[in-house]
Amino acid sequence: MAKICWFLLVSLVSFAAQALDEVSIEQKLQSLEQALITEPAQTEQLITDLGEQIQEMSDSQRVRYYSQIGIKAILDANYQKSIGSFNLALELAGSLEEKVTIHYFMATAELSVRDYAKSLTHLSVMLQNIDNIDDAHLQVKSYNRLFNAYFQLGAHQEAAEYALLAHRLNAGKDPISHCTSSLFIGLSAFKLGDKAKALSWLNESVEYCGKHQLPLMVAMSHKGTGELLFSQDKFAEALAELKQAEAGYAKIGYQIEIVSVDSMLAQTYAALGRSDDAISYAMKAFDKAGQEEYMDARKRAVRVLADINYLRGNFQQAYDYQQIYLELTETMLSDIAAKSLAFQLAKFDSDEKDRHIHLLEQERGVYVEQRATEHQKQSNLTLLLLVAAAGLMICLIVIILGYTQRGRYKRMAQYDSLTGVMNRSTGFTKAENTYVSVMARHSVMSAIMVDLDAFKAVNDQHGHSTGDWALRMLVDGIKAKLRRMDILVRLSGEEFAIFLPDMPATDAESVAESIRLLVMEMEPRYAEDAFKLTASLGVSVSNEGDLSLDPILARADIALHQAKESGGNQVVVYGRHNQEV
């Protein structure tokens, strides 16, 4: 009897210890999940402690543990580690809700390493399963996650629709989801050009997220508000918002956002004329932004450094930073085109699958009907032939539409939609190939940079539609002045580049002067009010040591800046009055 009592006592103690371990693991997992929302920098010890208990965890607890490690790796910009952790979680995931959540985070990580095809595959899995989730709260979280993924892809209209859907479905029930969808609606409205709506939602997000102690969302809201105010030239107000975002991200330790805000602060300080502060923040962003995911911040930082060094007369440094800026711009343009193409091809593929399923269902219906009504074999056979013919016709139409659509996407990726001239990426590629031919025959190539003076005032006073009309008039006029071999490229806004193969500087200067006079003679009107435009132009010609267009274009850009600083409405030829860079 004593042995039996002793055995029961030992078993009871063992069972109690196991139950306490399970409670301890569950409490630590909950603490880890909460810390990632409120204090991500404080999670390392929790992750270490839980790692020592991995063998005691259930599969569901391991899914949560590996998922939290993956989320922390995303915050630390360690995307390969995050993908590995999410793959481990996906292998153990049992419920549909777990799988949908993991596919979202994997889509986010793949986006960050620019593997757009894999990211869209994960999003496709989410979309296929989201309506099968019974829990409305999990559906709301899934819609918010879809917003974030589509927003990073640049599909802002689709992202806005998911944010509004999440906000309506949540209806204020869950504070975290309400805060997230409010922020996302504001960000998407800003990207779609509705700045008044964006500011209203972002202000609500700051207040609501702060009230419910969600520091990451508060920092993101301040950053979005700062970027919006900067776009409206309200630099002092933008600075205040960005400083609050900087403080918020510093507490959280979100590295990629810290670097992004540093670059935006550099821009803002430069706009306020505080060049020392601008350089300080630009160098912080420039020194940290060595990886691909920091490319946008690095581009902003080097533009600030190039402009300030140029204004201070440090022409060599300005030129070096300008070279980095041009390389980053080219890379980002290619990246944007890759995003757009991946998204459009995925969308086209989804439409194709829907059509194919529809055709299969039609054929199955015909087959069932044929088996059920044997006495109508002849009529059913005729019907089947008609359906087959219709299917072939549909396939033919789909193929034709596919080729047409791909051609349209290719043109959209190569030409500026407003003026019809080549965009930067396409124009530079053609100009580089032309320059190789020019060098082969030991000839020269000239470049002209064209920038309309005070064009922002035209948009502000008469509206962007009038400004767009003036740009089309300008392009039509320039084309009439050029030869068939010359290359006209729209760089950005009201800035254009012209490449003139086999043309010396004197002839290029004459072309530039004719364009300047053309702009002065243009008579654009808004209603009954006419207004005048002028242009500044910079001209440069290739040297024997130029191995690419970059130094030619950089010299033309310096000449353009000199024309601007000299009052505008003039042509400046590089090398005639410029100091050699």
Side-chain angles (χ1 to χ4, degrees), residues 471-483:
L471 288 176
R472 288 193 289 268
M473 285 184 62
L474 171 65
V475 167
D476 290 342
I478 292 177
K479 286 180 178 178
K481 302 289 184 181
L482 302 180
R483 303 166 300 175

Side-chain angles (χ1 to χ4, degrees), residues 22-130:
E22 290 182 1
V23 171
S24 175
I25 290 172
E26 186 63 29
Q27 288 175 341
K28 288 179 182 178
L29 281 171
Q30 291 177 359
S31 298
L32 176 58
E33 289 164 349
Q34 184 62 31
L36 278 171
I37 296 173
T38 57
E39 296 179 297
Q42 309 301 318
T43 57
E44 290 293 347
Q45 189 59 49
L46 283 168
I47 290 174
T48 301
D49 292 345
L50 282 165
E52 296 173 355
Q53 297 177 278
I54 190 73
Q55 298 302 324
E56 289 80 35
M57 292 183 189
S58 66
D59 283 350
S60 179
Q61 288 173 330
R62 290 182 188 180
V63 168
R64 291 165 63 191
Y65 173 67
Y66 288 130
S67 296
Q68 300 311 306
I69 292 176
I71 294 170
K72 181 64 168 63
I74 288 177
L75 293 176
D76 293 337
N78 190 346
Y79 299 111
Q80 293 302 332
K81 178 181 177 181
S82 73
I83 292 170
S85 297
F86 290 129
N87 275 321
L88 289 173
L90 193 59
E91 290 175 3
L92 296 168
S95 71
L96 181 61
E97 290 79 1
E98 288 175 338
K99 292 176 181 178
V100 167
T101 300
I102 294 167
H103 278 295
Y104 158 70
F105 285 115
M106 294 188 76
T108 301
E110 297 290 2
L111 271 175
S112 299
V113 296
R114 290 176 167 76
D115 195 334
Y116 304 120
K118 287 184 180 178
S119 178
L120 285 164
T121 298
H122 291 300
L123 290 178
S124 177
V125 174
M126 284 188 69
L127 285 169
Q128 290 170 13
N129 292 286
I130 193 169

Side-chain angles (χ1 to χ4, degrees), residues 354-367:
D354 288 343
R355 292 190 188 97
H356 186 61
I357 290 170
H358 180 64
L359 286 174
L360 288 175
E361 288 176 347
Q362 282 186 322
E363 291 177 1
R364 181 178 179 276
V366 171
Y367 177 74

